[in-house]
Amino acid sequence: FFFYRKRTFELPPPVQFPAGQYGSFIVLAAFLAVVIFLTSSLCVTYCVYLQANLKADSATKPFLQRCQELVKVIDEYLAKDLQPVFPWLVESVFGSLDGVMVGWNLRLLQPRSSEYSVAMEFLDPSGPLMKLVYKLQAEEYKYEVPVSYLPGPVKASIQQGVLPDSPLFHNKLQFPLSGQLSLSLSLNPFEFYMFNFASCLIAPRSLPPGQIGSPSDSAYFVLVDTYLKHFLPTEGSVPPYPFLDARGTVSPPAPRSPSMQFTGYGSHGSSLLKRHISHQPSVNADPAAQEIWRSETLLQVFVEIWLHHYSLEMYQKLQSPQVKLALLQYRLSMSSVPCGSPAPPEPFSPTEDHVLVVRLLVKHLHAFSNSLKPEQVSSSPSAHSHASPLEEFKRVVVPRFVQQKLYVFLQHCFGHWPLDASFRAVLETWLSYIQPWRYTSEKSNPSGDSHSRTVPEKWASFVQENLLMYSKLFQGFLNRAVRTDLVNTKNALMVFRVAKVFAQPNLPDMIQKAEQLFLEPEHVLHHRQHREFLTPSHGGSFLSSRQPAEADAVFKVKSHVYSLEGQDCQYKQMFGSELRNVVLKLVQIIAQARQTAKRISDHSAEAAANQSFLSWFGIGSQDLNSTYAAGEPDDTGECVRKTHEFLDRALEFLCEIFRVSWETGQVAQLVANLSQAPNDLGSKQLPDCIQSENGPILTDLGRLQIINGLRRFDIEYQGDLELQPIRSYENAVLVRLLFRVASVLNDSDRPTFLLQFSSHMEALCSRRDLLGRLGRYYLTSPCERQQKSPVTRRFTERQWRPRLSLRTLASYRTLFGLVLLYMLGALLSFGPLSSTAFLLVSFFLHGLFMTLFGNKLKTH
C-alpha cells in the first residue's frame, strides 16, 4: 500500500485510534509477549532442571530406583520436555561414543546380576526407553552424531567428498557452521538410538578388571537377539508402529547444502525395496510401507557399524561403477585445489565379542530369509509384484545388505587374527554363513549325523552367488592351518570343523560347478554385452528373473566375483593344482601332528609311571625345566586322545573333498613313514638349524618341527638359582630370609671369621679327593655342573664360586616332608635332637652316594 501511494506521491492517511482502545491494544500485546517469553524461558529452565535432577539421581540412587523414576518421567512428561534429555539418557545407558562414559556396561552384565532383569525390561523393544523413542519420533526431532565416530573407511570416504552407497547416510549430512570443525549426521530418534546401541559393541571402554562371563549370556548379546527377533521376525509381521494418529513419523529429508559437493550422492539406483528408507513416508501414505522401515534401518545400522572395518582402498573398490566414475571426476576437478589429505583410518582389530555378535546377526538373517513363503520363492515377476514389503525384504536381505561387507570383514579377520584358539569365533561365523540350509524349518534326517545329509540342489544358486565365500576364504584358512600348531586340541578341532563342513555330500560338486560357470568364455554372454556388472548392493543380479536360468547363473557368478575382486582379478580355483598342493602339505602336517600327539601321550604316561613317593623327599627328579612343552598344558590325557581323533577325521574328510587316494596314494605312504620314524621326544636331536657365531639359526624345516612338536631345544635356566623368581610352591618370607643368611655366609667382604668360612669352602672344593668331590656336590650350583642350552659358548668362561644355598628349605614340599619325618620320629619315641641328627646323617649319606655313583646312574 505504501508503494502504491508512493507512485501518486501521496502518503496514506494515518490510522486514528481512540485513546482508550489504543492503550488497551498496547497493553494486551505487551502482556502476550511477556507471557510467551516467560513460558519459553520456563520450559527451557524446566528441561535443564529435569536433566540436572536425573543426572544427580544417577550418581546417588540405586539402579532399580533410577529405572523406576525414569519410567515415570517418560510416561508423565511431554515429548518437548524430554527432547533435550534423550541424548544424555542414551549415553548414560550405552556409554558415550568416545568411550569416556561406560554406561550400564551391558557387555559385562550377566544374568546372575540383580540389575540384569531390570535393564532387560527397560531396554526391551516394547519397554519404556523404546516408548520414548517412538514419542520423539512422532514429533520429528533430529539429533546430530559427528562423522568422526563412524567406522574408519566410511569416515575417510566422507572426508574425501564421497558419500557412501548406503542409504543410511543419504540426506542426513549436516555441514559445519561457523566455529564448528567437523561434519555430522542428522538422525531421527530411532536411528540415533540404534546407532548408539550398535556403537556400544566397538567403542573403546575402560572395563573394570576381574569380571568374567560368557559373551553369549551378556545383556548386550541377548538384547541384539531380542531386537533382531522383534524387527526381523521369522514368523508373522513386524509389530505395528505406534502413534499413527500423530502428525507424521519422520520429516522429509532435508536437502543437502550446496557448499560442498559430494560425488555419488543419489547418482545410483534406488533401494531394491519398493519404498526406500531415505524416503520414509508419512502416515497418509500406504500403511504397508510403515511395516519395514524400522527393520531396514536396524539392519543398515548394524551392518554399517559392525562390518565396516577394513582399508579405505578396499572400501572404494566395492563401490558401484557410477560412484567410481563420480569419484574420479571429483578428484580431477579438485586436483587444482590445495587441500590436505585426510588421515588414514586407524587399523581396527575386532574382538571376540564383536565377532560373536556378527555371527548372531548372520544366523538370524539366514533364518529370516529362509522364512520366506513358498509362493514367493518363485522366480516369476508376477509373484513378486504382489508380495508384501516384508516378504520382498526377506528375498534381498542377505545379498543386498550383508554379502559384500561380510566377505571383506571375514577376509580381514583371516589375515590379521592371531594364530591362536580365539580364531574359533571367526571360523564359526564363516561356517554359519556358508551353510544357510542349517537355518531352515525343514528337518531332514534329524537323528543322523549332519555330515551325512546331502545339501539340496536348491542351494546351488546360493553357492554360485557366494563363490568367493567358499573358495577364497577356504584358501585363507589353509594358509593359516599350515602355520598352526595342530597338536593343540583346539586348533585340531578347527581343522576338523572346516573339513567336515566342506565334505558334506553334494557341496564340493556345487562349488566346482560354480567355478566352471565363472570360467565360461565371454562369448556366452554375447547377448548381454550392453549390461554392466552391477554390484550386489544395487540389485544387479538378485532380482532379475527374466533371463534363462543357465545364462543368468553365469552372469551371477561373474558379477559376484568381479564386484568383490575387480575386473582384473586372478581367480585361483579351489580344485586347481596349486591349491591341491597346499592341501597335500596340510595333510602331511596333520599326519605329523597325529604322530606327535601319540608320542606325547606315551611320553606323559611313562613320566607319570616314574613318579614315586620318594620324590617328596628330594630323591626323585625335581627338574621342572625338562617338562615337555610342545603343546598347551591341557594337551594331555583325554585332550591328546581327542586331538588324535580330530586329526584322523580331518584327514579322512580332506581326502574325500579333494579325491585323494588313501589306500594307494602318497598319504598312506606318508603315514607309514611317520609311524616308523624314531621317537624324537627322548632323543637329543636338535631341530634343523644352521650354526653361526651367535649360535644356531632355525631353518623353515626347523620351525615346522618345533611347531608340530617333532623336535625341540633342551633349554634350561642357567642363571643364578638364588635369584630366580619366587615360585608358587615356595614361601616368600622364608626365601628372602634364607637368601640373606646365605649371602652373609657366602660374601667374602665380611668380618674375619666369615671371610675364613668362604675361604675354607673354596679350599674344600679345590681338592681332588673324595672330600673335594663331596664339597663340590653341596657347595656349587647345578648350572656349573651341566650346560644344556644350545648357546653355551657365552657361558663357558663364567666362573661360579662355591657357596651355600638354603633356598630348598623354603619349599612347601620340603617343609611338609620335614614335618612328616619329625612326626614319625615322635611316634618312634625319637626326640627333636635325635630326629635332627638322623636327618643330617641321611642327608650326608645321600650326598656321599650321589658323589660315588652319580655319574654311573646318569650314564645308565
Side-chain angles (χ1 to χ4, degrees):
F1 186 76
F2 170 77
F3 286 105
Y4 175 79
R5 287 293 185 180
K6 189 176 181 180
R7 292 179 183 176
T8 59
F9 301 97
E10 296 182 2
L11 295 176
V15 181
Q16 300 293 332
F17 289 99
Q21 295 180 3
Y22 185 72
S24 301
F25 176 78
I26 294 177
V27 172
L28 180 60
F31 176 76
L32 292 176
V34 171
V35 169
I36 294 174
F37 175 76
L38 292 178
T39 303
S40 59
S41 300
L42 287 175
C43 290
V44 174
T45 305
Y46 186 75
C47 292
V48 174
Y49 171 76
L50 177 62
Q51 184 173 351
N53 191 21
L54 292 176
K55 288 184 179 180
D57 292 344
S58 65
T60 57
K61 294 184 178 179
F63 183 79
L64 176 60
Q65 187 176 357
R66 285 177 359 221
C67 290
Q68 292 175 349
E69 293 185 357
L70 285 175
V71 173
K72 293 181 181 179
V73 169
I74 294 173
D75 291 337
E76 296 176 0
Y77 288 86
L78 300 177
K80 63 180 181 180
D81 300 328
L82 299 174
Q83 184 267 339
V85 182
F86 180 65
W88 169 84
L89 180 58
V90 172
E91 283 192 349
S92 65
V93 174
F94 302 127
S96 57
L97 296 176
D98 55 5
V100 177
M101 293 180 59
V102 179
W104 289 1
N105 216 348
L106 298 175
R107 291 169 57 184
L108 295 180
L109 191 59
Q110 297 290 326
R112 59 177 177 271
S113 174
S114 59
E115 302 174 354
Y116 178 85
S117 59
V118 180
M120 295 300 296
E121 184 177 356
F122 186 79
L123 300 175
D124 190 77
S126 303
L129 189 54
M130 191 61 69
K131 181 179 180 181
L132 173 61
V133 171
Y134 292 143
K135 184 184 293 187
L136 298 174
Q137 186 85 13
E139 298 296 332
E140 304 178 359
Y141 290 112
K142 296 289 183 180
Y143 299 93
E144 293 189 359
V145 173
V147 173
S148 58
Y149 294 127
L150 294 175
V154 183
K155 176 177 62 178
S157 179
I158 293 179
Q159 290 174 350
Q160 287 190 358
V162 183
L163 195 68
D165 282 344
S166 175
L168 181 66
F169 305 106
H170 290 182
N171 301 323
K172 295 181 176 64
L173 198 63
Q174 298 294 316
F175 297 93
L177 302 176
S178 58
Q180 296 182 355
L181 301 178
S182 61
L183 299 170
S184 61
L185 295 176
S186 179
L187 305 179
N188 61 53
F190 187 81
E191 294 169 340
F192 182 80
Y193 175 86
M194 288 302 171
F195 184 92
N196 281 269
F197 175 74
S199 301
C200 177
L201 179 64
I202 63 174
R205 294 282 187 263
S206 56
L207 301 177
Q211 298 189 18
I212 302 176
S214 175
S216 60
D217 293 335
S218 66
Y220 188 84
F221 192 90
V222 176
L223 277 175
V224 172
D225 186 44
T226 304
Y227 288 159
L228 290 174
K229 292 179 179 178
H230 182 84
F231 295 106
L232 300 172
T234 56
E235 297 181 359
S237 59
V238 183
Y241 179 80
F243 302 105
L244 291 179
D245 56 344
R247 175 184 172 188
T249 58
V250 181
S251 59
R256 60 188 177 93
S257 172
S259 60
M260 182 177 182
Q261 181 178 1
F262 274 77
T263 61
Y265 199 103
S267 61
H268 48 78
S270 61
S271 170
L272 295 179
L273 302 178
K274 294 181 179 181
R275 301 163 182 87
H276 198 277
I277 189 62
S278 62
H279 305 286
Q280 292 169 353
S282 63
V283 292
N284 297 325
D286 183 6
Q290 298 279 349
E291 184 179 357
I292 64 164
W293 77 264
R294 288 172 294 161
S295 305
E296 190 176 2
T297 299
L298 171 80
L299 187 55
Q300 284 178 349
V301 170
F302 284 178
V303 170
E304 296 298 324
I305 299 301
W306 293 342
L307 300 182
H308 258 166
H309 300 284
Y310 37 82
S311 65
L312 178 61
E313 293 75 13
M314 177 62 69
Y315 177 79
Q316 292 176 348
K317 189 177 74 171
L318 297 180
Q319 306 300 314
S320 63
Q322 296 92 336
V323 174
K324 292 179 181 178
L325 179 60
L327 174 60
L328 178 61
Q329 295 174 352
Y330 171 76
R331 289 179 174 175
L332 292 176
S333 64
M334 297 296 292
S335 59
S336 60
V337 180
C339 59
S341 59
E346 298 181 359
F348 180 83
S349 299
T351 61
E352 189 173 356
D353 294 354
H354 183 175
V355 178
L356 289 176
V357 173
V358 172
R359 183 183 181 228
L360 175 65
L361 174 65
V362 169
K363 292 169 62 177
H364 183 82
L365 289 182
H366 275 320
F368 176 72
S369 178
N370 293 333
S371 64
L372 184 66
K373 296 179 180 179
E375 60 269 14
Q376 302 298 338
V377 181
S378 172
S379 59
S380 62
S382 59
H384 298 162
S385 60
H386 298 88
S388 66
L390 183 62
E391 296 299 317
E392 186 76 7
F393 188 45
K394 292 179 180 180
R395 291 184 59 253
V396 299
V397 62
V398 173
R400 167 67 175 83
F401 291 94
V402 180
Q403 185 195 53
Q404 273 190 336
K405 299 179 179 63
L406 182 63
Y407 169 73
V408 182
F409 177 80
L410 291 176
Q411 195 175 32
H412 174 82
C413 292
F414 273 57
H416 295 81
W417 203 275
L419 291 172
D420 56 17
S422 63
F423 184 73
R424 177 75 184 276
V426 180
L427 185 75
E428 293 299 336
T429 303
W430 171 47
L431 297 181
S432 296
Y433 181 82
I434 64 177
Q435 297 182 92
W437 47 86
R438 292 179 54 192
Y439 308 101
T440 60
S441 57
E442 302 175 2
K443 302 295 182 180
S444 59
N445 192 16
S447 59
D449 186 8
S450 59
H451 169 67
S452 61
R453 302 177 186 175
T454 302
V455 179
E457 283 292 337
K458 68 177 183 179
W459 295 107
S461 60
F462 180 87
V463 175
Q464 296 166 8
E465 296 171 10
N466 294 269
L467 176 60
L468 292 178
M469 282 286 192
Y470 293 89
S471 60
K472 187 68 177 293
L473 293 185
F474 183 80
Q475 297 173 24
F477 175 77
L478 285 181
N479 293 332
R480 291 182 59 92
V482 296
R483 295 179 289 134
T484 305
D485 177 19
L486 298 184
V487 181
N488 185 353
T489 306
K490 297 177 182 178
N491 295 334
L493 175 60
M494 287 191 286
V495 176
F496 162 71
R497 288 280 295 121
V498 174
K500 180 180 179 182
V501 168
F502 278 84
Q504 295 179 79
N506 209 23
L507 181 58
D509 295 335
M510 289 183 179
I511 299 175
Q512 194 166 10
K513 181 179 179 181
E515 289 186 331
Q516 293 173 358
L517 292 175
F518 174 74
L519 297 176
E520 286 287 340
E522 293 296 330
H523 63 79
V524 175
L525 302 178
H526 66 278
H527 62 284
R528 305 173 175 247
Q529 290 300 324
H530 65 281
R531 296 178 58 179
E532 60 181 351
F533 288 108
L534 295 178
T535 62
S537 61
H538 297 87
S541 64
F542 301 108
L543 297 183
S544 176
S545 58
R546 304 173 183 175
Q547 302 296 333
E550 297 78 6
D552 196 59
V554 177
F555 176 77
K556 286 181 180 181
V557 177
K558 290 181 177 290
S559 175
H560 160 69
V561 175
Y562 290 148
S563 63
L564 292 182
E565 296 294 332
Q567 296 282 348
D568 55 346
C569 70
Q570 299 294 329
Y571 181 79
K572 295 182 180 179
Q573 299 184 50
M574 179 173 172
F575 297 94
S577 59
E578 182 177 354
L579 191 63
R580 187 182 181 86
N581 293 332
V582 180
V583 172
L584 292 177
K585 181 180 179 181
L586 177 61
V587 168
Q588 179 180 1
I589 295 175
I590 290 175
Q592 292 176 345
R594 288 172 66 253
Q595 199 65 23
T596 303
K598 183 179 182 301
R599 293 172 181 174
I600 292 176
S601 178
D602 298 341
H603 181 76
S604 301
E606 182 180 356
N610 292 333
Q611 298 295 327
S612 63
F613 180 75
L614 295 178
S615 62
W616 283 86
F617 302 98
I619 300 177
S621 175
Q622 301 180 15
D623 186 10
L624 298 179
N625 292 325
S626 63
T627 303
Y628 181 71
E632 291 189 353
D634 61 344
D635 286 339
T636 57
E638 184 69 17
C639 291
V640 175
R641 187 189 63 81
K642 290 183 178 179
T643 301
H644 200 275
E645 180 181 352
F646 290 149
L647 295 178
D648 278 342
R649 298 294 302 277
L651 200 60
E652 178 183 350
F653 288 145
L654 287 175
C655 294
E656 180 180 344
I657 295 170
F658 292 92
R659 298 176 176 86
V660 177
S661 177
W662 177 270
E663 294 80 3
T664 61
Q666 52 186 325
V667 177
Q669 183 65 31
L670 174 64
V671 174
N673 294 338
L674 289 175
S675 61
Q676 297 174 1
N679 191 344
D680 292 335
L681 292 178
S683 65
K684 301 297 182 181
Q685 192 173 6
L686 297 178
D688 189 70
C689 55
I690 302 174
Q691 295 295 333
S692 65
E693 296 180 357
N694 298 324
I697 299 178
L698 283 174
T699 62
D700 293 338
L701 177 60
R703 294 187 183 94
L704 185 62
Q705 291 170 344
I706 291 180
I707 288 176
N708 291 278
L710 299 177
R711 298 181 185 178
R712 65 185 177 95
F713 288 112
D714 194 4
I715 300 176
E716 291 184 353
Y717 179 78
Q718 296 184 6
D720 190 351
L721 296 180
E722 298 295 316
L723 300 180
Q724 290 186 92
I726 299 176
R727 309 306 174 101
S728 59
Y729 54 82
E730 293 178 327
N731 186 279
V733 177
L734 286 178
V735 169
R736 297 185 177 96
L737 178 61
L738 295 174
F739 175 75
R740 292 180 181 179
V741 173
S743 299
V744 171
L745 297 176
N746 297 327
D747 196 352
S748 60
D749 300 331
R750 294 291 179 179
T752 307
F753 69 95
L754 294 180
L755 179 61
Q756 294 178 354
F757 184 78
S758 61
S759 62
H760 286 318
M761 288 193 298
E762 293 182 1
L764 176 63
C765 293
S766 62
R767 298 178 59 169
R768 299 298 180 183
D769 54 1
L770 179 61
L771 290 179
R773 293 169 58 189
L774 190 62
R776 287 191 294 272
Y777 178 82
Y778 284 113
L779 300 177
T780 56
S781 172
C783 294
E784 184 183 1
R785 295 195 296 268
Q786 63 178 16
Q787 296 281 346
K788 294 186 178 181
S789 174
V791 188
T792 57
R793 65 190 66 183
R794 298 181 181 179
F795 306 99
T796 53
E797 298 180 357
R798 188 171 181 177
Q799 299 295 329
W800 294 92
R801 298 178 56 186
R803 55 184 176 176
L804 182 65
S805 177
L806 303 175
R807 182 162 178 167
T808 307
L809 299 176
S811 172
Y812 289 116
R813 185 171 61 177
T814 302
L815 296 176
F816 181 68
L818 291 176
V819 171
L820 288 180
L821 288 175
Y822 276 105
M823 292 177 60
L824 180 62
L827 293 176
L828 298 177
S829 301
F830 284 96
L833 293 178
S834 303
S835 299
T836 304
F838 175 77
L839 288 175
L840 293 177
V841 171
S842 301
F843 185 62
F844 174 77
L845 294 177
H846 175 264
L848 181 62
F849 178 80
M850 295 301 297
T851 301
L852 295 175
F853 306 104
N855 293 332
K856 295 182 179 180
L857 292 177
K858 290 180 181 178
T859 304
H860 176 71

